[in-house]
Amino acid sequence: MEITFCNKKLEKLANNYQKCQKESGAIRAKLFTMRLQDLLNAESLEDVRNLPGSYHELTGNRKGQWACNLDHPYRLIFEPHEKPVPTDKDGRYIWLEINGVEIIEIVDYH
């Protein structure tokens, strides 16, 4: 799957493990790297759906975004490259047709 980043800071953290570890701590840096690798290895978002990290769709003012767990309570937030996001006749997102994501942020939104 193709991965892009919404800003240079996130891209630098993704490409420099030492910097990520210094800014985010060892546990979050490790999990961030693992989640990115899972996404890179996937052909579609469906491939990560049942992997560790609890990949899930968000609702409310974050509808159209997805999240996966890092270290509690932090989440990795991303959006599909596909615009509009593919949906079925009932309005549910079709994870199998999402082939790229943009990393938006690492955040505690709770």
Side-chain angles (χ1 to χ4, degrees):
M1 180 180 308
E2 180 186 356
I3 297 176
T4 58
F5 298 88
C6 77
N7 62 52
K8 291 290 184 192
K9 180 180 180 188
L10 280 169
E11 189 171 8
K12 284 180 183 177
L13 291 177
N15 292 318
N16 185 332
Y17 186 78
Q18 301 302 86
K19 181 177 181 67
C20 186
Q21 192 173 22
K22 184 177 179 181
E23 290 191 22
S24 304
I27 294 171
R28 192 171 313 140
K30 179 181 177 184
L31 291 169
F32 178 51
T33 302
M34 288 172 56
R35 303 298 181 249
L36 289 176
Q37 195 60 53
D38 288 343
L39 289 166
L40 278 170
N41 291 338
E43 288 185 31
S44 74
L45 199 53
E46 182 67 31
D47 294 338
V48 299
R49 188 175 215 159
N50 297 310
L51 292 180
S54 184
Y55 290 83
H56 57 282
E57 300 170 18
L58 298 178
T59 58
N61 65 343
R62 287 192 175 266
K63 185 167 177 59
Q65 295 181 339
W66 271 252
C68 61
N69 297 342
L70 296 176
D71 56 321
H72 185 74
Y74 289 91
R75 305 287 189 266
L76 178 64
I77 310 299
F78 53 93
E79 294 179 346
H81 286 165
E82 290 75 12
K83 302 290 186 225
V85 179
T87 57
D88 65 14
K89 63 180 174 47
D90 297 319
R92 292 181 298 230
Y93 294 126
I94 305 172
W95 290 47
L96 191 60
E97 294 182 13
I98 298 170
N99 301 310
V101 296
E102 180 173 50
I103 305 299
I104 304 297
E105 63 184 332
I106 296 171
V107 67
D108 169 12
Y109 57 71
H110 293 107

